[in-house]
């Protein structure tokens, strides 16, 4: 009951599209973005057969995700930030988090460094080796301690990503196509938390 909840939210359509791009990169998705995102709106929450990797709008549905936390913990126990805050004012976000938690603040030197960036796979063969069951992975498991394996895989995946230019026109089409969904998220956050998201959504 004394837990404190911190939510950093991304513009819902951009977040769903980013998840779609990751699923494509991992060869978990082959449909065009419009079709894949439209299909995700029809997924029932109780459907256990649909892979989590393709539940694009389920994780962008902040009303669904936050409502239960709001019911259980109350407004005063939940702190809301937006991805734009973290991108443009990371030190401010950290200080607000420390104040919210009631702990001494500490600002690391790399507070403004962004590590994980979206893009395409540089070397498809390396990507397959990282994800598949093969003799290299079995050999690594035999000599590398379990607790450090995820860190090694994470950094290899990061180094194997080639940043690509963002397709603003496609994202604009998706925002227009799913504007009703995004507006619902905005209205929920304004009504229940008194915060106005910095999202480019037509009303």
């Amino acid at each position: 009951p004394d837990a404190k909840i911190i939510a950093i939210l991304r513009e819902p359509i951009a977040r769903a599209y980013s998840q779609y791009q990751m699923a494509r990169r991992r060869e978990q998705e082959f449909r065009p973005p419009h079709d894949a995102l439209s299909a995700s709106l029809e997924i029932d929450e109780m459907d256990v057969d649909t892979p989590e990797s393709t539940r694009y709008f389920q994780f962008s549905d902040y009303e669904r995700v936050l409502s239960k936390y709001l019911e259980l913990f109350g407004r005063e126990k939940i702190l809301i930030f937006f991805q734009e805050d973290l991108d443009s004012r990371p030190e401010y976000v950290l200080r607000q988090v420390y104040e919210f938690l009631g702990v001494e603040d500490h600002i690391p030197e790399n507070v403004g460094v962004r590590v994980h960036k979206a893009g395409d796979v540089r070397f498809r063969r390396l990507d397959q080796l990282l994800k598949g069951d093969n003799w290299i992975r079995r050999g690594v498991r035999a000599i590398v301690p379990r607790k450090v394996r995820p860190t090694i895989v994470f950094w290899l995946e990061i180094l194997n990503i080639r940043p690509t230019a963002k397709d603003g026109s496609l994202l604009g089409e998706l925002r227009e196509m799913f504007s009703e969904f995004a507006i619902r998220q905005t209205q929920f956050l304004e009504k229940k938390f008194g915060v106005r998201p910095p999202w480019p959504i037509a009303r």
Side-chain angles (χ1 to χ4, degrees):
D2 295 324
K4 293 187 177 182
I5 313 300
I6 301 170
I8 301 181
L9 310 179
R10 186 175 180 180
E11 188 267 296
I13 311 304
R15 198 223 61 82
Y17 180 51
S18 178
Q19 183 182 340
Y20 165 85
Q21 289 178 304
M22 182 173 66
R24 289 277 293 193
R25 190 173 67 243
R26 294 179 173 178
E27 298 185 338
Q28 298 168 329
E29 178 63 80
F30 300 96
R31 296 169 293 180
H34 301 78
D35 295 345
L37 268 63
S38 292
S40 78
L41 283 176
E42 305 302 321
I43 297 174
D44 187 276
E45 188 178 340
M46 304 306 293
D47 179 1
V48 297
D49 297 321
T50 303
E52 184 177 287
S53 59
T54 59
R55 293 174 178 265
Y56 306 116
F57 280 120
Q58 277 63 37
F59 295 101
S60 284
D61 191 347
Y62 305 135
E63 180 177 13
R64 179 186 71 85
V65 174
L66 292 175
S67 288
K68 195 65 176 179
Y69 287 101
L70 191 62
E71 176 186 335
L72 292 173
F73 296 97
R75 172 67 187 90
E76 68 281 357
K77 293 289 186 68
I78 304 175
L79 180 65
I80 302 290
F81 282 115
F82 299 100
Q83 183 67 47
E84 288 83 356
D85 299 320
L86 194 60
D87 288 339
S88 63
R89 302 186 294 170
E91 185 173 329
Y92 166 80
V93 170
L94 265 182
R95 293 191 186 282
Q96 292 295 109
V97 166
Y98 293 141
E99 182 179 345
F100 178 65
L101 296 177
V103 298
E104 184 178 352
D105 65 357
H106 168 71
I107 306 301
E109 293 182 0
N110 66 343
V111 65
V113 177
R114 185 162 189 162
V115 176
H116 188 93
K117 295 184 179 180
D120 296 327
V121 171
R122 291 180 189 272
F123 306 108
R124 181 62 61 184
R125 182 58 180 158
L126 174 59
D127 188 61
Q128 292 170 345
L129 288 173
L130 290 172
K131 294 178 173 60
D133 183 22
N134 50 69
W135 66 271
I136 292 180
R137 288 198 63 161
R138 290 192 291 271
V140 169
R141 284 198 294 267
I143 60 176
V144 177
R146 178 186 296 272
K147 64 181 181 180
V148 300
R149 290 178 206 159
T151 302
I152 293 173
V153 171
F154 170 81
W155 281 107
L156 285 173
E157 286 186 339
I158 292 298
L159 293 172
N160 197 33
I161 292 177
R162 178 181 63 250
T164 55
K166 296 181 179 179
D167 188 347
S169 60
L170 176 56
L171 185 54
E173 290 177 18
L174 294 173
R175 281 176 174 147
E176 183 175 349
M177 183 175 182
F178 301 106
S179 61
E180 184 177 336
F181 176 87
I183 289 171
R184 179 163 61 83
Q185 307 311 315
T186 297
Q187 291 174 339
F188 166 75
L189 292 168
E190 289 179 343
K191 180 179 180 180
K192 297 296 185 179
F193 291 95
V195 295
R196 175 166 293 183
W199 299 332
I201 298 173
R203 294 174 179 270

